[in-house]
Amino acid sequence: MEGGNAHSAVEAGQHRSGPIVWASIIAATCLLLFFFQKILWLVVPFLLGLILYYFLYPAMQALIYRGMSREAAAGNVTLGFLVLLSVIGVAVTPWVAGHAAGWQESLVRYLQGGMQLLDRSLRSLESHWPTLANAQLADSVAIRLNESTGKLTDHIEPVAMGIMAWTPSLLLAPFLAFFFLRDGRRFQRFLGSAVPNAFFEKTLYLLHEVDRTSRAYFQGLIKLTLLDTVTLAVGLWLLGIPGPFALGLICAVLAWIPYVGSIVGGLLVVLVAATDFPDAPGMAYWAIALFALVRLLDDFVYMPLTVGKSLALHPLVTVLMIFVGGAVAGVAGLMLVLPVLGVVMVVGETIGVVVTDARLMARHRHARSLRRDQASSDL
């Protein structure tokens, strides 16, 4: 009954949250994004560990229901995941080693296919628009693209070195997930013991809501990725583009970065279509139409049913905060802004309820007064 009262109180507080509370939420989100950008080497494995925690938690819970202790269940689930990951790595490594030499050549080939499609499209526009023909738009764009492609090999080595530099920190993700699984409740009890007794009920609800919001966001993100992968794979398969599932999965994962990732994913599909079907330029345009349709489904159907439903954010706030996150912390801000905003929103609104609850604050003041009187009673 007390939990239900707390839930009703917080829900009522959400409706009373005014401009001061929301200004504090937005300011705190921006400060956290700026700080997270400075320690990105730790934030990325922490997020991956959190996703892995929510992915492995049902398996650990099933083992606990079978009578296994939490520590043993967490160890067995993590060990099983690492063994599965090692088996996949051993199976994939020979394939990667055999194809790595041709990847640079394939990348250049796909870029050239995209450049040819762009050149044909621009020259077609010049034939219909004399102004563009007089400006020699196609020739200018071709010269600039050729210069950029010639310098492409200079950027491959830094990218490879960057991936190698990130590898040790990414290995922290399974390590962090194991301790989340094993010591998650212990950490919650540790935080709960640090708050005054008058706020204990609200603190329990706050911890529950933060966990629920994070779980719902990352589970919604996984569901969204699966929906995008299946939709894109089916559409690409119907068009006859090779490797539809791999392309669909890559584009769905890239879509984790709002706007920027979607543009890169769409460009990748167009490059593949233009290169593999050089005599059928219409195939690239069909690929663009397919990607635009999937983006519309993603924004108006899939996103509200998965990530948007989990965070209960107004669409205007979502769009504005995505732009704010990109301005504050770049690409990292685009990826982190929604989960950070969801957690800060829960914390900020709960604190707003506590501060504006006159009876709760009176209980806290009375408890402090009793403790002072008790401490000085025998002096």
Side-chain angles (χ1 to χ4, degrees), residues 196-216:
N197 187 60
F199 306 137
F200 184 73
E201 182 181 338
K202 288 292 192 295
T203 302
L204 289 180
Y205 178 75
L206 172 63
L207 293 175
H208 167 73
E209 280 297 289
V210 169
D211 180 69
R212 184 200 63 80
T213 301
S214 303
R215 184 190 307 272

Side-chain angles (χ1 to χ4, degrees), residues 118-142:
L118 179 61
D119 186 70
R120 287 197 299 266
S121 301
L122 290 177
R123 295 193 184 282
S124 176
L125 289 174
E126 286 183 349
S127 64
H128 294 87
W129 295 84
T131 304
L132 297 179
N134 294 333
Q136 297 182 344
L137 178 63
D139 294 334
S140 301
V141 171

Side-chain angles (χ1 to χ4, degrees), residues 319-331:
V319 173
L320 290 178
M321 287 307 297
I322 286 174
F323 281 103
V324 170
V328 171
V331 176

Side-chain angles (χ1 to χ4, degrees), residues 103-242:
W103 282 352
Q104 179 177 344
E105 185 178 323
S106 299
L107 178 62
V108 174
R109 183 169 65 88
Y110 281 123
L111 287 176
Q112 289 177 348
M115 291 168 55
Q116 291 174 3
L117 174 65
L118 179 61
D119 186 70
R120 287 197 299 266
S121 301
L122 290 177
R123 295 193 184 282
S124 176
L125 289 174
E126 286 183 349
S127 64
H128 294 87
W129 295 84
T131 304
L132 297 179
N134 294 333
Q136 297 182 344
L137 178 63
D139 294 334
S140 301
V141 171
I143 292 173
R144 290 183 177 273
L145 289 177
N146 285 327
E147 292 176 353
S148 301
T149 305
K151 298 178 181 178
L152 179 65
T153 55
D154 298 335
H155 300 285
I156 293 178
E157 184 177 352
V159 170
M161 295 298 294
I163 294 174
M164 293 178 63
W166 271 92
T167 301
S169 63
L170 295 180
L171 294 177
L172 285 173
F175 182 76
L176 292 172
F178 167 71
F179 284 104
F180 292 158
L181 291 169
R182 194 189 72 171
D183 301 326
R185 290 186 178 179
R186 189 180 304 171
F187 181 69
Q188 289 183 357
R189 289 195 298 268
F190 172 74
L191 290 179
S193 64
V195 300
N197 187 60
F199 306 137
F200 184 73
E201 182 181 338
K202 288 292 192 295
T203 302
L204 289 180
Y205 178 75
L206 172 63
L207 293 175
H208 167 73
E209 280 297 289
V210 169
D211 180 69
R212 184 200 63 80
T213 301
S214 303
R215 184 190 307 272
Y217 174 79
F218 289 116
Q219 289 180 346
L221 188 64
I222 293 173
K223 294 176 183 177
L224 179 65
T225 303
L226 292 176
L227 287 172
D228 285 345
T229 300
V230 172
T231 306
L232 278 169
V234 171
L236 295 172
W237 176 73
L238 291 176
L239 290 177
I241 295 178

